[in-house]
Amino acid sequence: MKVIIVGGGGREHALAWKLHRDDPSLELIAAPGNPGIAELGRCEAIAATDIDALSALARREKADLTVIGPEGPLEAGIADRFREQGLAVFGPTSGAARIETSKTWAKALMLRAGVPTAAAETFSDPAGARAEVRRLGAPVVIKATGLAAGKGVVVAQTLRDADDAIAMMLEKRAFGDAGGEVLVEQFMTGEELSIFALTDGTHAQVMLAAQDHKRIGEGDTGPNTGGMGAYTPVSIASDAVMDDAMDRVFMPTLAAMRAEGVPFTGLLYAGLMLTPDGPKVVEFNCRFGDPETEAILPMMESSLLDRMLTIAHSGSLKDLSPLRWRSGASVTTVIAAAGYPGSVKNGDRISLPPITDGVTVFHAGTKRDADGALVTAGGRVLAVTATGPTLRAAQHASAGYAAAVTFTGRQFRRDIGWRDLARAGA
Ligand code: GLY
């Protein structure tokens, strides 16, 4: 069996790791991959957005499955092109990927389908957006409607911050066309949860809920990042919350997408806010989340490969057994480069200590230099996951390993999972 993974970050390393665990004889190819994935398979120097070269690779290699990691190629129609050519692909069509790539489209779909979410209006004129901000009052949320590399959402605490965000997106065009329209959305209070569902378009299998840590500093302080760590399971994701997410979020969204003629197959990620009125959707993503995937997959006992193959070959998840999970907890600590989330310097040598029990190191922004040494090559460099019998044990092992990794100016948080530990009084 031969599988291609498109992408080259920590999420794609975790996917490769899990698929290899599901079938150790699997032949893995990653494009472009990274030095961590290279220990599990072969890396091809093809960009994740080069759809022609990727489909040629899949045909040449007679791949049984291609798994798309990032949203960019999905927006560009990689899954449509693969399907047109009879190639098995895990990931939604470009039309279905709009659930992430057009926040305006996603919001309209949710409101039509009765999926709980904050009220919002779309604007392309700055004056209209500013008037709406004044009607709602601060705090208020300003979202670029298109893909903005994780930077398109501003939670404005004051009207002035909201005006600045509107100017940045609509007038200065900081995100180009992706910010040519903005949503002005009511602020929701509560705690966020990330819930992933594997889906064939009709049936869904929901994975363990996780919580991302988006701020750079401990205690969730400082600027937003692409994610400094994640943990699973999360105590507030009770059975009632998970049932609610299935019945009021995933099922109506999948039904609405089928009715619109854009069935969603692949991995649907719901970013939820647990408000006093129940879970509400903050956003959907059309792919696995990062770094949540690095925390969730080491807990998964069921085969991800079987489910991906079923979905990619238009089979039904109905007949597959429910997902099984190991007991205990998993904590992922992201190690970032100096300067992150601002501009970072690349090329610093990384030294990795020997792996300890229960620890897995996923590569994100790394590469090999001309001498073959492992060096930094991005903002988020490594994702260190530890599983353990308790959240505290997993946090201790993950942060402990991260502390022993060395490269110039590395930064990481030691408190991943702090909300649940505080709740438990641990
Ligand atoms: N963890 C946030 C994301 O993957 O978009």
Side-chain angles (χ1 to χ4, degrees):
M1 167 97 48
K2 204 181 273 191
V3 174
I4 298 174
I5 295 185
V6 173
R11 164 184 53 207
E12 286 76 23
H13 188 182
L15 289 167
W17 176 90
K18 173 63 177 147
L19 296 181
H20 182 260
R21 235 170 121 106
D22 290 343
D23 177 1
S25 69
L26 198 67
E27 203 180 319
L28 271 171
I29 304 171
N34 66 35
I37 303 176
E39 288 170 19
L40 301 168
R42 189 176 102 221
C43 293
E44 289 278 344
I46 302 173
T49 45
D50 190 345
I51 298 178
D52 287 338
L54 291 167
S55 57
L57 176 73
R59 282 196 307 275
R60 192 167 64 244
E61 295 289 342
K62 299 188 173 36
D64 297 286
L65 172 69
T66 299
V67 177
I68 315 300
E71 61 277 16
L74 292 167
E75 180 181 43
I78 191 168
D80 311 62
R81 292 275 292 284
F82 270 57
R83 284 191 188 119
E84 280 156 22
Q85 297 176 38
L87 298 164
V89 62
F90 181 87
T93 60
S94 172
R98 274 182 297 169
I99 196 81
E100 171 171 1
T101 63
S102 171
K103 298 212 185 312
T104 306
W105 187 86
K107 183 66 78 173
L109 182 105
M110 283 187 262
L111 294 175
R112 272 199 306 279
V115 172
T117 185
E121 295 286 339
T122 305
F123 296 91
S124 50
D125 70 303
R130 288 195 186 102
E132 179 67 359
V133 156
R134 274 152 187 80
R135 194 181 72 78
L136 291 175
V140 61
V141 181
I142 315 294
K143 291 180 173 175
T145 189
L147 290 181
K151 295 184 182 142
V153 178
V154 174
V155 179
Q157 297 298 335
T158 63
L159 294 182
R160 174 179 228 162
D161 290 348
D163 287 346
D164 288 349
I166 290 165
M168 185 251 297
M169 293 179 199
L170 288 182
E171 290 168 344
K172 298 183 191 139
R173 290 302 186 102
F175 307 125
D177 287 346
E181 260 185 359
V182 296
L183 283 183
V184 178
E185 191 174 281
Q186 236 167 26
F187 176 75
M188 292 188 279
T189 49
E191 222 175 289
E192 283 193 52
L193 268 187
S194 304
I195 306 186
F196 299 173
L198 292 160
T199 177
D200 56 23
T202 302
H203 309 98
Q205 293 197 320
V206 170
M207 305 179 95
L208 283 184
Q211 208 164 38
D212 192 0
H213 292 55
K214 293 194 172 123
R215 305 267 177 180
I216 189 80
E218 290 180 4
D220 292 331
T221 53
N224 256 322
T225 71
M228 292 300 291
Y231 71 102
T232 188
V234 185
S235 65
I236 53 172
S238 61
D239 288 350
V241 165
M242 298 304 274
D243 289 348
D244 233 19
M246 190 59 137
D247 297 344
R248 297 178 62 219
V249 174
F250 286 110
M251 286 298 123
T253 300
L254 293 175
M257 293 186 78
R258 288 196 306 279
E260 299 262 331
V262 283
F264 186 101
T265 66
L267 189 288
L268 183 57
Y269 165 152
L272 299 182
M273 184 72 81
L274 294 194
T275 73
D277 305 326
K280 293 191 179 177
V281 176
V282 177
E283 61 175 8
F284 280 113
N285 292 317
C286 63
R287 37 82 197 167
F288 283 88
D290 200 341
E292 296 97 319
T293 303
E294 294 94 306
I296 292 170
L297 293 185
M299 296 291 284
M300 187 175 177
E301 285 183 340
S302 310
S303 168
L304 178 61
L305 180 61
D306 284 354
R307 284 157 182 83
M308 286 183 156
L309 284 167
T310 300
I311 292 167
H313 288 278
S314 307
S316 169
L317 286 181
K318 190 159 141 281
D319 304 323
L320 295 190
S321 54
L323 296 178
R324 279 178 296 104
W325 301 96
R326 55 184 288 174
S327 58
S330 172
V331 169
T332 298
T333 303
V334 168
I335 311 181
Y340 184 76
S343 57
V344 298
K345 177 167 138 313
N346 290 328
D348 289 320
R349 285 209 176 190
I350 303 167
S351 155
L352 294 177
I355 295 291
T356 43
D357 254 7
V359 170
T360 311
V361 179
F362 298 115
H363 290 233
T366 71
K367 68 171 193 181
R368 299 261 170 215
D369 70 8
D371 301 327
L374 191 66
V375 297
T376 59
R380 292 189 296 168
V381 177
L382 297 163
V384 178
T385 297
T387 53
T390 62
L391 179 58
R392 174 64 82 194
Q395 184 199 62
H396 188 258
S398 175
Y401 186 90
V405 172
T406 55
F407 60 84
T408 311
R410 61 134 173 66
Q411 40 174 347
F412 67 96
R413 288 177 55 171
R414 291 176 186 272
D415 70 339
I416 306 304
W418 69 273
R419 286 178 192 278
D420 251 3
L421 289 172
R423 261 188 285 276

